[in-house]
Amino acid sequence: MMRPVIVMAGTPVDTQMGMDCLAAQGVEGVFCSISKDPVEQTAFQISSEREKAAVVTALFREAQAAHGCEQAFIYCNSLSGSVDFDAIARETGVAVVTPLDVYRALAPQYRSLAVIAANAQGAAGIERTLLLSNPDLTLRSAGILPVVLAIERGEEPEELVERHRLPELADWFAAQGAEALLLGCTHFPYFKEALGRRTRLPILDPAQEMLRLLGV
């Protein structure tokens, strides 16, 4: 039987989304939110590498001691790009799966991709990972933190997609030659179906492949 898995994300909302993702597969998660809201999460991401590593390592150690956790499911793109999880995995012995693991395998399959992320920091981490895997890949990206805040407030997906002009953004990406739209924030599957009905671009969500890497 699989031991409980650390579920870590930037805010309580996306951490709970990660918990729900595992629960749907019958896997117990251990809730580990880094920040109380997206604004605090952005501040955390620009803190020093030492500070970030100390916070994450402490949470990993607590989960190991209390629940015997051996794996971590990092359900947050921007957090994955701003913290050196490889180093923390080596130090703690926790096997870590992040969306960036999926992007490394995804990049060689495309020539041109569009990326929407929570903020520019998240987009930068995703772009770095994609381009290291496929230096010839053409990328266009946008950081749209107001959309994350709307999701946190519980705005209806159809209303959110309309108010933030996401179909027009997707159409612009498509007109520039993007072959697919990558959801570079784990909040964004919230509106995936609503946006999917209004764009011809395939929408890429890394969650299912992350579950496979976790062994679920």
Side-chain angles (χ1 to χ4, degrees):
M1 183 177 180
M2 180 177 286
R3 293 189 179 187
V5 174
I6 297 166
V7 178
M8 181 172 286
T11 74
V13 171
D14 54 351
T15 304
Q16 187 58 54
M17 290 177 175
M19 294 284 287
D20 294 343
C21 190
L22 288 187
Q25 306 299 318
V27 177
E28 180 183 355
V30 176
F31 190 97
C32 288
S33 177
I34 290 290
S35 311
K36 70 175 186 290
D37 58 44
V39 176
E40 186 179 281
Q41 167 62 6
T42 298
F44 172 81
Q45 289 170 19
I46 61 173
S47 63
S48 72
E49 297 301 322
R50 179 177 295 182
E51 290 175 303
K52 290 183 287 192
V55 169
V56 173
T57 299
L59 289 170
F60 274 22
R61 295 290 193 199
E62 290 173 15
Q64 285 177 305
H67 304 280
C69 297
E70 297 177 339
Q71 298 184 89
F73 187 63
I74 311 303
Y75 200 72
C76 181
N77 289 267
S78 53
L79 184 63
S80 300
S82 63
V83 174
D84 187 351
F85 280 103
D86 289 340
I88 294 170
R90 289 192 296 270
E91 180 179 342
T92 62
V94 174
V96 179
V97 172
T98 83
L100 302 188
D101 297 317
V102 178
Y103 303 149
R104 291 186 187 98
L106 186 71
Q109 302 175 35
Y110 293 91
R111 294 172 297 176
S112 179
L113 281 175
V115 178
I116 51 174
N119 52 36
Q121 296 169 74
I126 294 167
E127 288 188 0
R128 182 170 56 250
T129 300
L130 290 168
L131 291 174
L132 284 172
S133 184
N134 180 4
D136 296 325
L137 184 63
T138 297
L139 291 173
R140 294 175 178 84
S141 62
I144 49 176
L145 186 60
V147 175
V148 177
L149 297 174
I151 293 169
E152 296 254 336
R153 291 193 300 268
E155 188 170 328
E156 289 297 321
E158 290 78 9
E159 179 184 341
L160 181 156
V161 163
E162 177 66 26
R163 189 166 69 84
H164 292 276
R165 310 294 292 272
L166 297 185
E168 289 91 333
L169 178 61
D171 286 347
W172 183 84
F173 283 135
Q176 297 301 310
E179 298 168 271
L181 175 62
L182 177 60
L183 299 182
C185 174
T186 43
H187 281 75
F188 292 170
Y190 178 82
F191 61 74
K192 179 182 176 181
E193 290 186 6
L195 179 57
R197 289 191 289 269
R198 299 187 59 183
T199 179
R200 61 185 175 84
L201 274 182
I203 298 177
L204 305 178
D205 175 6
Q208 289 304 309
E209 182 62 14
M210 285 176 66
L211 290 171
R212 189 191 69 78
L213 293 174
L214 198 65
V216 175

